[in-house]
Amino acid sequence: MILCCRVPALMERKLYERLCALSAPGRLQKADRLPSGKRAASLAAGLLLEAALRRETGKQGLSLLVREAEHGKPALPPELGLWLSLSHSGNFALCAVTRRPVGADIQKTVPVRESLLQRVCSAAEQEWILKAASPAERERRFCRIWALKESWLKATGVGLAGLADARFAPVPEGLAGPEGWRFRAFSLPEGYEGAICEAEG
């Protein structure tokens, strides 16, 4: 299950207080450590997680069982048979809860610096990005590649150390990633790109 919401409306004081009242204590503590502009999105991601877990299991309060696994990846007790991934960026929060290992990521489109492009993208990825018809499309393509890479890094739990293995190749239906994983990329309003990576099988 994948849930996504737009966050700015939650920034109104009364709505933000309501958001805090609905959030699990652990999520509140996590949000308190973030800059003020990112707190509402973090809390929103936590509420999306609670809603997704309730839909998947019919039980409430399972988000209280979330623990931090290797590389800071959130995880549930293995006996539940559920994997989760959260992401938030600017105006959006994203949550994925599935029966297989999963990674979710959302990114705001930003100008592409050549040094960053060369550092994080393979030759094939760079070619695909630079073939875009306009600077705006180049930025969108880079953002999509980055969201796909981040979703795979989250799903595998390898962290940024595995960035060199997160390679994507243009194919007629989009972008093909590492074997053994199914990828979905999508665009959101206001220049955001999202991606979900889920284990096959």
Side-chain angles (χ1 to χ4, degrees):
M1 171 172 301
I2 299 163
L3 298 176
C4 184
C5 74
R6 191 174 182 278
V7 177
L10 302 172
M11 296 303 289
E12 183 184 318
R13 184 73 185 164
K14 287 185 178 178
L15 288 173
Y16 183 75
E17 288 173 358
R18 179 69 177 146
L19 185 62
C20 290
L22 292 170
S23 296
R27 179 53 56 172
L28 281 171
Q29 291 170 1
K30 183 177 177 70
D32 282 343
R33 295 192 297 268
L34 296 172
S36 59
K38 296 184 177 182
R39 289 177 189 158
S42 177
L43 295 176
L47 291 179
L48 290 178
L49 172 62
E50 183 62 36
L53 291 172
R54 193 177 316 128
R55 282 190 188 176
E56 285 289 328
T57 67
K59 298 177 183 177
Q60 294 185 357
L62 289 181
S63 64
L64 295 171
L65 301 178
V66 174
R67 58 185 173 77
E68 198 169 282
E70 194 176 1
H71 302 291
K73 180 178 168 63
L76 287 160
E79 58 269 20
L80 288 175
L82 292 171
W83 280 263
L84 67 100
S85 186
L86 302 175
S87 183
H88 54 86
S89 177
N91 297 343
F92 289 91
L94 176 65
C95 169
V97 173
T98 70
R99 300 284 171 177
R100 300 183 187 95
V102 66
D105 193 64
I106 190 165
Q107 297 286 332
K108 171 76 171 146
T109 302
V110 295
V112 182
R113 296 192 319 272
E114 189 174 341
S115 59
L116 181 62
L117 188 68
Q118 292 174 352
R119 194 167 78 244
V120 303
C121 292
S122 68
E125 291 166 348
Q126 290 180 51
E127 182 181 4
W128 180 72
I129 291 166
L130 294 172
K131 275 186 176 176
S134 68
E137 178 62 13
R138 268 196 303 277
E139 291 171 6
R140 190 192 69 77
R141 286 185 178 194
F142 174 77
C143 190
R144 174 157 290 191
I145 289 270
W146 187 252
L148 285 163
K149 287 176 182 282
E150 283 275 0
S151 71
W152 183 79
L153 294 173
K154 289 180 178 182
T156 59
V158 299
L160 287 174
L163 189 59
D165 297 320
R167 306 227 177 233
F168 292 84
V171 293
E173 57 274 14
L175 291 162
E179 288 186 15
W181 299 90
R182 185 169 55 240
F183 294 89
R184 284 173 278 176
F186 51 91
S187 297
L188 290 164
E190 302 170 30
Y192 287 83
E193 291 290 315
I196 303 292
C197 169
E198 188 178 7
E200 291 181 340

